[in-house]
Amino acid sequence: MASYYEKVGASTIRDVVDRFYTVVLDDVELKPYFNGVDMARLKRHMVMLLCSVLGGPEVYEGHDLGDAHRGMAITGEHYEKVGRILVTVLREDFGADDGLVEHVATVLGQVRGSIVEVGAAG
């Protein structure tokens, strides 16, 4: 059985990541999290991460997700919003099937605790 990565390919994943960050950065609540961030570098890391999550050969070699997000005061509300944006981009902009979307949603749920800061004000 083909992996989700094999079904969509690296080129599509790059396009998904570009569209995802376009939407995220257009959101007034989320944009401040990215002030001063090297977006080209962040996008490369996100492509590697998403490729890995989808079963591709790319190995994510970026920072541990908890370390990368520590001190950013990411709220549960904002984490959920980012997750909804990713799912919407996958489904509506790229026609991802339910299995792929559910897989990504499951992984988002698994890493939530590493990214959301308890007590962060939203």
Side-chain angles (χ1 to χ4, degrees):
M1 183 175 189
S3 70
Y4 295 121
Y5 174 85
E6 291 169 325
K7 290 179 182 178
V8 298
S11 176
T12 298
I13 293 170
R14 280 190 295 276
D15 292 343
V16 166
V17 169
D18 280 339
R19 177 70 183 137
F20 166 73
Y21 279 115
T22 296
V23 176
V24 167
L25 293 174
D26 280 345
D27 187 288
V28 296
E29 292 179 6
L30 300 176
K31 187 173 183 167
Y33 287 110
F34 300 91
N35 289 338
V37 171
D38 179 346
M39 290 305 297
R41 183 173 182 265
L42 180 59
K43 286 180 182 182
R44 283 192 303 274
H45 283 278
M46 181 64 167
V47 167
M48 285 189 299
L49 180 60
L50 195 51
C51 284
S52 179
V53 163
L54 296 177
E58 288 82 357
V59 176
Y60 176 71
E61 296 177 346
H63 293 288
D64 171 80
L65 292 177
D67 292 342
H69 295 90
R70 188 168 290 115
M72 294 180 67
I74 296 173
T75 66
E77 177 185 347
H78 288 159
Y79 182 82
E80 300 301 329
K81 189 176 209 179
V82 167
R84 283 192 306 273
I85 291 170
L86 180 56
V87 164
T88 299
V89 166
L90 285 166
R91 183 172 277 138
E92 294 180 11
D93 295 344
F94 291 90
D97 67 28
D98 289 342
L100 185 149
V101 171
E102 289 169 12
H103 178 71
V104 169
T106 297
V107 172
L108 287 171
Q110 292 169 343
V111 301
R112 185 183 193 280
S114 297
I115 295 171
V116 172
E117 288 193 30
V118 176

